[in-house]
Amino acid sequence: MATTTIQVTKQTRDHLAQLAEERGLSIGQLVDALAVAEPTAAQRAEQVAAARAHAREVIGVHLSDEEFASLDVLGNLRRIAAEKVLALPGKDAA
């Protein structure tokens, strides 16, 4: 992997140095950890696609892309699961 020199302010460098020291890391290790912890838009899209595939294929819950886009995915999963349970033979809404 090629090394690239990046210019940062002294204040930013000092702040990163302090954060790194508190974690027992070098500044380079800290920056690497931050980069891993912050996925790119493409990586987030891949994670969402993988989560959708997992829910659809492994769990057996088939949600539309619109339901996944909802801010309350967990609530949608609970609602759909409840609807499926209530639809089972011998189950009442009461």
Side-chain angles (χ1 to χ4, degrees), residues 36-52:
V36 169
E38 291 294 326
T40 65
Q43 290 168 326
R44 285 191 304 275
E46 289 175 14
Q47 292 169 350
V48 168
R52 288 177 179 169

Side-chain angles (χ1 to χ4, degrees), residues 27-94:
I27 291 177
Q29 290 170 319
L30 177 67
V31 171
D32 286 345
L34 291 171
V36 169
E38 291 294 326
T40 65
Q43 290 168 326
R44 285 191 304 275
E46 289 175 14
Q47 292 169 350
V48 168
R52 288 177 179 169
H54 180 76
R56 288 177 176 144
E57 296 167 16
V58 177
I59 300 173
V61 175
H62 298 282
L63 297 174
S64 70
D65 287 347
E66 291 77 24
E67 288 172 309
F68 272 111
S70 167
L71 295 176
D72 188 14
V73 173
L74 183 57
N76 283 333
L77 286 171
R78 288 181 178 142
R79 177 185 52 79
I80 291 167
E83 289 170 359
K84 288 186 177 216
V85 167
L86 291 174
L88 292 173
K91 297 292 178 184
D92 298 332

